[in-house]
Amino acid sequence: MHTTIALVISTLVLSAYAQSDSITLSGGASETTQSPTATGADYATSGTTYADESSVLTITGSTDYATISDLSSIFATSNGTATSISSHRGNETTSSPTQTLLVGSARTTTSLNGTAATNGTASSTSTSAQPTNTVPCNGHPALCNRKFSNITHVGAHNSPFVRPGNIAANQELDVETQLNDGIRMLQFQAHLQNDTIYLCHTSCDLLNVGTLEDYLTTVARWLRGHPYDVIAILIGNYDVINPMNFTAPVTNSGLIDFVYTPPTQPMPLESWPTLAEMIFRNTRAVVMLDYEANQTAIPWLLDEFSQMWETPFSPTDRDFPCTPQRPPDQERPVRQNRMFMANHNLNLEVAAAGLSIDVPFFTLLNETNADQGYGSAAAAVANCTTMWDRPPTFLLVDYYNIGNFNGSVFQSAADANGVPYDRASCCGTAGTTNDGNPLHTIADLRWYLAIFMVVYWTSTS
């Protein structure tokens, strides 16, 4: 009992410290102030291996998207309107509205801050007159004929970890709200406890938000209700366990109805299908595992680092260098032909209950998630675009709803994609004030701390 209360107290104290601009270290003859520069790993660091890039695995039974040469014959009727797409699971049926779907457009190149090209549209597949698209794929009609690998998707770092006042929380709004607001990558850690996969941050004693199956059930339900949306799910195999442990949660949740199976491992940029193709086949969930994936045994559970690389994880440097970290020792030409994820969540390393954990740097969220300025999401996208001649495929952020305006990270992604963004569309209201700042301020935490201190001393007296 005392241990649990002490853990709660230390969590609250460290959460308050994490929202300060600096940490005051006591001890010795004087106190010193240290800027947040240390880093703690937020992923498995031992027993990990990377796939051999020298060989290509051909996956049988996957969809040959190359045979889909003219989407107008699939999505559009003779009068230029789209046919309805139905998704079936059990006795449930959901149908999309009848609308017109994009079937081809000319390739365009635009500049980003006058330095490098943004994501371009897909090449035209026909010279004949094409119907006008009105269907928003992932929120925008212009993205329907764009390859999945040729879009910047905003990702929620540690998406399930929503718990006000907890040091291990990284988001403020639940996963359904995240998806409604435009999050298209869900990233998180998974831990095996008593033969069940739970979603925990570093340790299940620190933050446990429930089972992977329950979380994926919510995601699958959302996908059934949104037939024109494609998402990615990135699972951190923190315990480096056998990948077969992940099949039951995906199957039992219903997510298996939507999983995408690639034709090869690894996947070059041009091998990815367009959003329209994935929507037509209803393979709208790209599920990846960072370590121990075996696509020979489980073709739809993709090996993350065969598909993409990452910039430094849980970064503490406000410059956010777009240099590769994982996988290591990969040649530049290989990286240029893979998707990549920019980890754009500024962190501070703290210790709690004998654990080292990275926590969001709260006081800089409005700048870190901004669409302009030093250390902003927009600056990170521009830097990556300059270094790699294309924007990042995924932009991973903490507290996506907070910025220089609510949802400013989506503006940065929209600019990279060359599409407009409706600022009024974001964000969910739970847990935020009118100015977009977190409700769990230092004052709130001190109040909770005072309450728990009373409980603690009462229990020990």
Side-chain angles (χ1 to χ4, degrees), residues 353-374:
L355 300 170
S356 175
I357 185 172
D358 294 315
V359 298
F361 208 126
F362 286 94
T363 53
L364 291 176
L365 274 172
N366 63 327
E367 297 179 30
T368 301
N369 288 351
D371 72 330
Q372 60 183 322
Y374 173 65

Side-chain angles (χ1 to χ4, degrees), residues 68 83 130 135 166 175 204 220 257 302 309 340 345 360 380 422 426:
I68 306 176
T83 56
Q130 303 292 341
V135 172
N166 190 292
V175 65
C204 290
D257 292 349
L302 281 58
W309 53 269
F340 74 97
N345 46 299
D422 178 12
C426 191

Side-chain angles (χ1 to χ4, degrees), residues 29-68:
S30 62
E31 295 182 343
T32 60
T33 299
Q34 175 178 304
S35 60
T37 56
T39 297
D42 201 17
Y43 52 85
T45 56
S46 62
T48 58
T49 58
Y50 297 91
D52 181 8
E53 286 280 350
S54 64
S55 61
V56 176
L57 170 66
T58 300
I59 300 172
T60 59
S62 58
T63 299
D64 182 7
Y65 290 96
T67 63
I68 306 176

